[in-house]
């Protein structure tokens, strides 16, 4: 694998959807996303891969194996971004897969199993409000009916967006694959959080992916004049909301050993005037964790506050569950394989949970799945300043290569030498990097 070439090809593909502000905007199925997708397909074809695009817009590029009919070892991620997103989220995993194949071709390395590089469509929820659509379709987890009511901000339906790029929503179920086709799936991705950078560890091996429970809580009070209503006679819905928000923090802190986190990110106050006691507040709450029982414990405490609000403040509240997805634990043996390869390559590693959703969580339903995180500067993501250094990307990419080659049963493997050279080069760098040999 040639890391300079990987970075160069990331720069090239990031010209699609690049904005003057410095971010990347490639919303799913837009012209920018599609141009990047076509570019990726062309690059794969130039490497002699057979390339197909399924009904959901997932690209599957395949390098044949030596033995016919063996299941493929796949890797990949996504090329769509949020509005003004970063240069690494998703793009890294797709382009690293392509570079992996380029490297194998260049060195004439063959594998017994085929290798697939997958670019999943519509991973980000930025356009239609649903995430990981492509991998859900591939894993047979997509509810066709749920797509019918989806529209973007311009009022374009999901179906129209698909047909604008030549895809047919009526065929979307044909994207489903059988687990028998795949031996394993690996996703290389930036962490999008601060843990690796702060601990100075090279890579994270993802043990599980947290799923959000999302609630919309409406608190009903009574509007009255802010000047003439005595404090004891008020039914202030915003004070009720404040109690819920504070309890949310306390409850999540009590569950912090399980890694559960909770956020009230939306608070809509009505009527929203300085001289009126608020009569209605709508909160949207996101509770995430890899342990469903821990997540549930947080939610139970919120229900507890809601009944207290009714008794003590006369505030009625209602909950609408927006989503309640199952957390996904990734395959232990695949994580062990990644850890073994880290040891072999001299890459420091830690097992960690992912707080954000990824295509890997859907692929885990199809085949043993492993996920590699590399550090994100300042934990920043979905942002134009999203950044991972070349040496950090290199460690993740060489680990991806080593794991894929091990799994696909390569006839020889040179990634270890590449890492040794890399480590030698970085012993002169910062204090943090000195520990890595
Ligand atoms: Zn991503």
């Amino acid at each position: 694998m040639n890391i300079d070439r990987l970075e160069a090809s990331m720069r090239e593909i990031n010209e699609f959807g690049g904005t003057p502000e410095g971010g990347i905007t490639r919303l799913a199925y837009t012209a920018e996303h599609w141009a990047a997708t076509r570019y990726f397909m062309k690059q794969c074809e130039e490497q002699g891969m057979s390339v197909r695009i399924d009904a959901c817009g997932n690209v599957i590029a395949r390098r044949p194996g030596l033995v016919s009919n063996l299941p493929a070892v796949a890797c990949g991620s996504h090329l769509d971004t949020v509005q003004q997103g970063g240069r690494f989220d998703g793009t890294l995993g797709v382009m690293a897969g392509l570079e992996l194949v380029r490297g194998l071709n260049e060195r004439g390395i063959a594998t017994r199993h085929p290798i697939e590089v997958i670019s999943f469509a519509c991973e980000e929820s930025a356009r239609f409000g649903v995430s990981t659509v492509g991998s859900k379709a591939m894993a047979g987890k997509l509810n066709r009916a749920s797509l019918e009511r989806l529209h973007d901000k311009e009022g374009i339906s999901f179906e129209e967006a698909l047909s604008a790029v030549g895809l047919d929503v009526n065929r979307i179920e044909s994207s489903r694959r059988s687990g028998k086709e795949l031996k394993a799936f690996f996703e290389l991705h930036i962490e999008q959080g601060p843990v690796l950078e702060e601990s100075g560890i090279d890579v994270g091996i993802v043990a599980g992916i947290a799923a959000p429970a999302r609630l919309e809580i409406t608190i009903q009070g009574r509007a009255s004049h802010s000047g003439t209503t005595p404090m004891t006679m008020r039914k202030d819905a915003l004070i009720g909301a404040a109690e819920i928000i504070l309890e949310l923090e306390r409850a999540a802190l009590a569950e912090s050993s399980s890694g559960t986190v909770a956020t009230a990110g939306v608070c809509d106050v009505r009527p929203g005037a300085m001289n009126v006691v608020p009569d209605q507040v709508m909160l949207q709450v996101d509770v995430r964790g890899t342990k469903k029982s821990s997540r549930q414990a947080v939610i139970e405490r919120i229900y507890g506050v809601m009944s207290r609000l009714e008794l003590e403040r006369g505030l009625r509240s209602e909950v609408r569950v927006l989503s309640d997805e199952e957390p996904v634990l990734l395959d232990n043996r695949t994580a062990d394989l990644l850890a073994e390869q880290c040891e072999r390559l001299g890459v420091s590693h830690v097992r960690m949970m992912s707080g954000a959703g990824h295509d890997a969580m859907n692929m885990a339903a199809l085949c043993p799945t492993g996920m590699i995180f590399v550090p994100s500067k300042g934990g920043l993501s979905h942002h134009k300043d999203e950044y991972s250094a070349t040496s950090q990307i290199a460690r993740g990419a060489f680990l991806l290569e080593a794991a894929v080659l091990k799994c696909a049963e390569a006839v020889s493997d040179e990634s270890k030498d590449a890492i040794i050279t890399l480590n030698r080069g970085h012993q002169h760098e910062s204090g943090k990097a000195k520990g890595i040999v």
Side-chain angles (χ1 to χ4, degrees):
M1 244 171 149
N2 179 333
I3 302 302
D4 290 339
R5 192 169 53 192
L6 166 59
E7 289 196 310
S9 67
M10 286 177 72
R11 276 194 297 276
E12 264 173 56
I13 203 158
N14 279 333
E15 281 174 24
F16 301 105
T19 67
E21 293 85 359
I24 311 288
T25 302
R26 282 196 301 263
L27 296 181
Y29 308 121
T30 55
E32 294 77 18
H33 177 216
W34 226 244
T37 300
R38 292 280 171 207
Y39 170 86
F40 168 68
M41 291 171 75
K42 190 166 157 279
Q43 298 288 309
C44 291
E45 279 158 7
E46 280 173 16
Q47 290 306 313
M49 302 176 87
S50 59
V51 183
R52 70 180 177 93
I53 189 156
D54 71 12
C56 194
N58 298 310
V59 176
I60 299 139
R62 190 176 169 101
R63 182 181 195 257
L66 290 172
V67 183
S68 56
N69 299 326
L70 287 184
V73 175
C75 64
S77 196
H78 59 98
L79 291 173
D80 64 319
T81 72
V82 300
Q83 192 85 31
Q84 289 294 332
R87 288 171 286 148
F88 299 85
D89 177 1
T91 306
L92 171 63
V94 175
M95 299 315 275
L98 169 62
E99 177 53 36
L100 190 162
V101 169
R102 273 197 197 116
L104 298 184
N105 287 348
E106 210 166 58
R107 281 137 61 199
I109 293 176
T111 53
R112 280 166 47 82
H113 292 258
I115 293 174
E116 285 183 4
V117 184
I118 305 177
S119 164
F120 292 102
C122 198
E123 194 273 346
E124 301 286 3
S125 60
R127 186 169 182 193
F128 291 106
V130 281
S131 60
T132 66
V133 175
S135 51
K136 278 195 184 105
M138 195 175 285
K141 289 169 140 193
L142 195 65
N143 178 351
R144 167 76 211 281
S146 70
L147 299 175
E148 277 163 19
R149 54 188 164 77
L150 299 181
H151 288 83
D152 69 6
K153 283 198 181 97
E154 267 91 58
I156 299 170
S157 70
F158 187 83
E159 177 172 357
E160 287 163 341
L162 277 191
S163 80
V165 294
L167 302 170
D168 178 4
V169 78
N170 296 311
R171 290 189 53 248
I172 208 157
E173 271 141 14
S174 68
S175 304
R176 182 174 191 163
R177 297 182 74 179
S178 149
K180 290 191 190 114
E181 296 172 43
L182 296 163
K183 184 182 180 190
F185 173 74
F186 294 95
E187 182 166 4
L188 170 66
H189 203 280
I190 56 165
E191 181 199 344
Q192 303 180 280
V195 175
L196 291 173
E197 185 183 60
E198 281 178 14
S199 57
I201 294 173
D202 296 334
V203 300
I205 297 173
V206 179
I209 298 174
R214 289 184 171 146
L215 311 176
E216 186 175 282
I217 304 171
T218 308
I219 304 133
Q220 190 64 53
R222 190 180 55 214
S224 55
H225 195 291
S226 69
T228 59
T229 317
M231 293 308 285
T232 51
M233 294 177 70
R234 295 178 178 212
K235 288 188 180 178
D236 187 330
L238 185 56
I239 292 185
E243 288 206 23
I244 290 177
I245 294 168
L246 287 171
E247 182 67 6
L248 190 67
E249 185 191 32
R250 281 190 291 267
L253 280 170
E255 292 296 324
S256 59
S257 63
S258 304
T260 299
V261 291
T263 310
V266 173
C267 178
D268 183 23
V269 183
R270 301 210 176 162
M274 273 174 73
N275 58 354
V276 183
V277 174
D279 75 329
Q280 193 187 69
V281 174
M282 188 273 284
L283 288 178
Q284 286 183 346
V285 169
D286 174 302
V287 186
R288 298 186 189 214
T290 44
K291 251 194 189 163
K292 213 177 177 190
S293 58
S294 164
R295 207 175 70 180
Q296 199 52 36
V298 173
I299 293 170
E300 295 296 336
R301 280 179 64 166
I302 296 309
Y303 288 144
V305 185
M306 286 168 56
S307 35
R308 233 177 38 234
L309 288 179
E310 175 131 30
L311 288 171
E312 294 171 5
R313 295 184 178 274
L315 297 169
R316 275 185 298 108
S317 38
E318 272 176 19
V319 172
R320 198 158 69 90
V321 177
L322 302 176
S323 74
D324 187 9
E325 290 178 23
E326 290 288 330
V328 174
L329 291 179
L330 296 184
D331 182 58
N332 253 329
R333 276 178 304 177
T334 310
D336 289 345
L337 179 145
L338 286 169
E340 276 162 32
Q341 294 304 314
C342 283
E343 298 292 340
R344 198 174 68 81
L345 298 173
V347 168
S348 64
H349 56 97
V350 63
R351 300 235 178 164
M352 61 191 294
M353 295 293 174
S354 170
H358 295 288
D359 292 311
M361 70 190 180
N362 297 320
M363 293 306 283
L366 279 182
C367 62
T369 293
M371 187 158 192
I372 304 164
F373 276 168
V374 295
S376 302
K377 188 178 178 195
L380 213 57
S381 182
H382 288 179
H383 190 280
K384 67 180 175 59
D385 295 333
E386 184 180 274
Y387 179 74
S388 303
T390 305
S391 61
Q392 294 171 325
I393 289 175
R395 285 174 173 83
F398 284 128
L399 174 59
L400 175 75
E401 177 183 57
V404 167
L405 290 187
K406 175 82 183 171
C407 231
E409 300 172 32
V411 293
S412 80
D413 164 13
E414 293 163 17
S415 44
K416 188 171 185 204
D417 301 336
I419 285 273
I420 289 169
T421 315
L422 185 75
N423 284 341
R424 218 174 272 144
H426 283 277
Q427 274 169 13
H428 310 291
E429 262 189 8
S430 69
K432 260 186 190 172
K434 268 183 193 157
I436 311 157
V437 180

